[in-house]
Amino acid sequence: FSRALASGSLPPIIVFTGDQTYLAEKAVAELRKSLLGGSGDMGFTLVYGDNASGKEIADNASTYPMFSGKKLIVVRNADKLAAKELAPLESYFASPSPATCLVLDFTGGKKPKLPKGDAAQYDFSMEKGGTTGAVIEAARALGFEISRPAAEALVTLVGEDMRDIHNQLEKIALYKGEDRKITPADVDALTVRTKYADIYQLINAISRKDRKTAHRVLLDLE
């Protein structure tokens, strides 16, 4: 998504899917800054699928922006849009406004069919084993270096939701101050455990012949 945004090649309809709502929200913030700049509040509309009107969304998207060259409309929890609200949106999908970027955010919900028309889908999910690398990158963005064992320990304690991980990293960073290296001891001392292993993690680790993870999960279960 970031590469497409930087190249200016995003279509007028964008669909976000996956389980990492925090990453989708960051993508919306990047998109808002890129499209609207200083006039962000004027051209930005946020609605929620559980109480949104498809006709109002389509009418808004079809109207030319008054105070900026672009308009950004984000439908969060788009999987909760009522079936009756989809008809006017489907008509809009067939002929979207080039001045409007319409984002349908399905993260955390069911994966949709891609709308017909000029649309692109971006999935905000972690690949298997990719969370540790994402933790290292998130720490680096905060100006800190976290060791791989420390990143793995953090994932073990709080799970794979990047919002929870980022919140914990900010707390650790605040405590560390000028010391820019985060160790496993720091994670153990400063993180409240919210995620516990289950038997399915053990079964999956054994099926992958991942001895290290299987041993860690077994110790956790014990």
Side-chain angles (χ1 to χ4, degrees), residues 1 4 9-17 89-90 92-97 100-104 106 112-123:
F1 170 79
S9 60
L10 289 172
I13 301 169
I14 299 172
V15 177
F16 289 162
T17 59
L89 283 176
E90 289 173 354
Y92 176 79
F93 295 154
S95 182
S97 168
T100 299
C101 180
L102 175 61
V103 177
L104 303 174
F106 287 86
K113 292 182 179 179
L114 195 65
K116 295 179 181 179
D118 191 3
Q121 180 173 322
Y122 298 94
D123 187 82

Side-chain angles (χ1 to χ4, degrees), residues 144-219:
F144 287 80
E145 179 184 339
I146 185 170
S147 67
R148 182 163 288 273
E152 291 173 351
L154 186 59
V155 174
T156 299
L157 290 172
V158 303
E160 299 190 348
D161 187 282
M162 287 304 298
R163 187 191 310 280
D164 295 336
I165 287 171
H166 193 268
N167 288 341
Q168 291 298 327
L169 281 174
E170 286 187 326
K171 185 175 71 174
I172 294 171
L174 186 63
Y175 176 84
K176 294 289 289 183
E178 296 301 317
D179 182 359
R180 295 287 160 172
K181 293 185 181 294
I182 300 173
T183 66
D186 295 325
V187 172
D188 288 339
L190 300 170
T191 304
V192 176
R193 187 179 192 113
T194 58
K195 176 74 174 178
Y196 289 87
D198 58 47
I199 190 65
Y200 300 105
Q201 289 176 272
L202 179 60
I203 293 170
N204 291 336
I206 292 172
S207 68
R208 297 195 308 268
K209 298 182 179 179
D210 183 348
R211 180 178 300 182
K212 180 180 177 182
T213 300
H215 185 251
R216 175 179 56 76
V217 172
L218 179 60
L219 290 175

Side-chain angles (χ1 to χ4, degrees), residues 5 8-14 31-45 60-61 63-73 92 96-102 118:
L5 179 61
S9 60
L10 289 172
I13 301 169
I14 299 172
L31 185 57
R32 185 174 178 179
K33 182 177 179 181
S34 175
L35 288 181
L36 305 178
S39 61
D41 290 339
M42 292 291 187
F44 178 69
T45 302
N60 187 1
T63 305
Y64 196 81
M66 294 181 61
F67 301 103
S68 62
K70 283 285 187 179
K71 182 185 288 188
L72 174 61
I73 302 173
Y92 176 79
S97 168
T100 299
C101 180
L102 175 61
D118 191 3

Side-chain angles (χ1 to χ4, degrees), residues 16-21 24 77 79-80 105-111 124:
F16 289 162
T17 59
D19 55 11
Q20 295 289 344
T21 57
N77 302 334
D79 58 300
K80 291 183 171 60
D105 186 356
F106 287 86
T107 54
K110 294 179 181 179
K111 196 169 185 178
F124 294 93

